[in-house]
């Protein structure tokens, strides 16, 4: 069981600040792709709408219904997502997963800021929520690319 000081560290002012100010919140009209992902354990959901041009995200919106950790992760993604490729998003998703599950390093630029979520390593029941926005974005990019090729 987590101690009170562990929970205070986990829900830091920085995490709560990120959760309160998620960039690109909402939905897009007529997106090229839209993906909704759900974390079964906690019920968190993230819906991502986006457009991709020349392999880069040109429009992006996210509807986030998650715990503060999932919201903070979505906020970090939202700060850096425009102009990014699927390779960038997938590399960040994989690095974040490794950071949480295997003690790997913090995801590198261009997605700076995920170090705030390092204390969540010990809370495996929160990992799925933290990864939702990146997973939905990667899946939506793949969907947009398939539609463009059809």
């Amino acid at each position: 069981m987590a101690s009170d000081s562990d929970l205070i560290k986990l829900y830091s002012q920085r995490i709560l600040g990120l959760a309160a100010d998620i960039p690109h919140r909402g939905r897009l009209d007529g997106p090229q792709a839209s993906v909704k992902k759900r974390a079964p354990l906690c019920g968190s959901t993230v819906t991502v709408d986006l457009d991709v041009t020349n392999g880069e995200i040109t429009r992006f919106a996210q509807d986030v219904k998650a715990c503060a950790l999932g919201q903070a992760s979505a906020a970090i993604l939202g700060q850096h997502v425009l102009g990014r490729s699927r390779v960038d998003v997938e590399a960040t998703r994989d690095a974040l997963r490794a950071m949480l599950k295997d003690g790997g390093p913090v995801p590198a630029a261009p997605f700076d800021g995920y170090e705030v979520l390092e204390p969540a390593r010990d809370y495996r029941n929160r990992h799925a929520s933290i990864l939702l926005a990146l997973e939905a974005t990667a899946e939506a990019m793949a969907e947009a690319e398939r539609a463009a090729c059809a």
Side-chain angles (χ1 to χ4, degrees):
M1 177 132 195
S3 71
D4 288 345
S5 65
D6 289 340
L7 289 174
I8 289 168
K9 183 177 175 184
L10 183 62
Y11 289 99
S12 69
Q13 285 302 113
R14 185 158 173 231
I15 285 175
L16 296 176
L18 285 165
D21 192 23
I22 300 173
H24 308 290
R25 185 182 290 258
R27 302 292 306 269
L28 294 179
D29 289 330
Q32 288 177 336
S34 182
V35 169
K36 181 176 184 176
K37 299 290 280 184
R38 182 178 177 275
L41 187 62
C42 65
S44 293
T45 61
V46 173
T47 303
V48 166
D49 298 328
L50 56 73
D51 290 348
V52 176
T53 304
N54 297 324
E56 296 179 345
I57 297 172
T58 54
R59 285 195 322 147
F60 179 86
Q62 55 186 343
D63 182 25
V64 181
K65 293 177 176 49
C67 66
L69 298 172
Q71 291 177 41
S73 181
I76 296 165
L77 170 70
Q79 292 170 357
H80 305 287
V81 74
L82 292 177
R84 301 300 171 211
S85 69
R86 183 160 57 125
V87 169
D88 293 334
V89 172
E90 289 175 346
T92 301
R93 176 202 61 204
D94 295 346
L96 182 59
R97 182 180 293 121
M99 180 193 90
L100 293 170
K101 297 183 183 301
D102 302 324
V106 174
F111 289 96
D112 299 325
Y114 284 103
E115 71 279 351
V116 72
L117 294 168
E118 282 183 293
R121 285 178 172 154
D122 296 333
Y123 298 88
R124 294 197 177 275
N125 60 335
R126 298 289 187 232
H127 292 181
S129 180
I130 292 168
L131 291 164
L132 274 181
L134 281 160
E135 290 174 344
T137 301
E139 192 173 315
M141 290 189 80
E143 184 179 297
E145 289 168 3
R146 281 191 302 274
C149 292

